[in-house]
Amino acid sequence: MTRTEDLTDDDRWRIALAKDRRFDGVFVTGVHSTGIYCRPSCPARAPRRENVRFYANCDAAEAAGLRACKRCAPDQQSREEAAVLAALKALREAEEAVSLERLGQLTDYSPTHFQRIFTRAVGLSPAAYQRALRRERAEEALRESGSVTQAIYEAGYGAPSRFYEDRKGSGMSASDWKDGGAGRTIHWSTVDTSLGSMLVAATEKGVCCLSFGEGEAELRARFPKAKLVEGGEEFSELFESVTAAVEQPGAATGADIPLDVKGTAFQQRVWQTLREIPAGETRSYGELAAALGNPKASRAVGGANGANNIAVLIPCHRVIASDGGLGGYAYGLDIKRELLAREMK
């Protein structure tokens, strides 16, 4: 999470628009047209930007003549909220795994009851949250370390097997991720679509590349150490499903297509957030960053968006400029415009 002192008013505004409850208690939103102040997550309709001022806490807002919103009650931090905030801090600072029993002692709740509170507030159980932290630390270390095993231990795993267990179902292994697909076989084909020539490629785990106007040379640049095999009868049904999803991007046909995603933990979180944008809707980079809990990460989100190898199925075309314009797109604005138009039908 971004440090409080690093937040700008533009960051706070994006957080308020996203109604991100993870920033409750970090600041309050003052609405001077109504004379009230709210939590960032207040469910009320968003006010006009020119009527909004941000305050560090309730005392500062009240000193400016504002009163607390009765709907979101920013002046009343519940015991549950305080417990979750304390647990998040403890988990982020811990060098070893923190047991549910220890979290219960820290927050003065029974372990099972606190797990329900934490999961409801964060969207992950304490154990899943810790696994996500370890994975991200390990993959950050992989970028800097010459040894996969060393990076795994530095991230806090007791054994390499625990890291690989955590990554089950998440696509390429740590070594694959680091070594450009070494030891993997990728089947590929080019398909004529109404949007032009499309490259689709897949491993035995799922689609690893979907792009427009590209061929074997571009695929080899992405996976320089993989074995590339053109065609393959056993992949024809998968490639047909991909083509159908591209021709009808607003349909749910692409949701069940397996993916083999190559990326860091942060990139994978961005890509998962992209897949959660409903067809026919768009988001700005700032809105995506706020949804990820780090409103200052717009540039990093843009980098993850640009690193996406799987167009349409990971719908980076749904990201637009902050002014409402189309922004850029790796395969040209005509294709982006057409994909969005099809989704809005």
Side-chain angles (χ1 to χ4, degrees), residues 128-314:
Y129 183 83
Q130 291 184 84
R131 288 196 297 271
L133 283 177
R134 286 199 303 269
R135 284 198 304 272
E136 185 161 342
R137 289 167 181 164
E139 293 185 345
E140 286 176 353
L142 277 169
R143 293 197 298 271
E144 302 173 359
S145 173
S147 166
V148 171
T149 301
Q150 179 184 343
I152 289 172
Y153 281 116
E154 287 177 356
Y157 286 94
S161 60
R162 299 304 302 273
F163 174 73
Y164 291 106
E165 182 179 345
D166 274 359
R167 285 185 57 86
K168 282 182 180 178
S170 64
M172 292 192 177
S173 70
S175 294
D176 292 338
W177 179 86
K178 186 177 177 65
D179 294 335
R184 303 296 297 275
T185 298
I186 297 176
H187 290 258
W188 66 279
S189 181
T190 55
V191 182
D192 290 330
T193 74
S194 59
L195 296 174
S197 176
M198 178 183 73
L199 169 70
V200 57
T203 69
E204 74 282 0
K205 293 184 178 180
V207 175
C208 62
C209 184
L210 192 163
S211 61
F212 296 97
E214 296 185 342
E216 183 179 4
E218 289 81 6
L219 183 64
R220 190 168 297 282
R222 287 186 169 96
F223 303 101
K225 297 183 180 180
K227 177 183 178 182
L228 303 186
V229 178
E230 185 174 6
E233 187 64 30
E234 66 271 29
F235 287 82
S236 61
E237 185 175 344
L238 174 62
F239 291 173
E240 288 173 3
S241 298
V242 172
T243 303
V246 169
E247 296 291 5
Q248 297 179 324
T253 52
D256 296 330
I257 294 175
L259 305 182
D260 191 353
V261 181
K262 173 180 179 286
T264 67
F266 178 77
Q267 288 171 336
Q268 291 190 50
R269 280 165 44 207
V270 173
W271 298 337
Q272 180 57 41
T273 303
L274 288 173
R275 300 193 81 190
E276 293 169 0
I277 301 173
E281 296 186 16
T282 57
R283 300 287 189 273
S284 69
Y285 290 119
E287 288 171 333
L288 281 176
L292 288 164
N294 189 349
K296 293 185 72 68
S298 296
R299 182 168 296 184
V301 168
N305 205 47
N308 173 28
N309 287 331
I310 307 176
V312 185
L313 301 181
I314 298 177

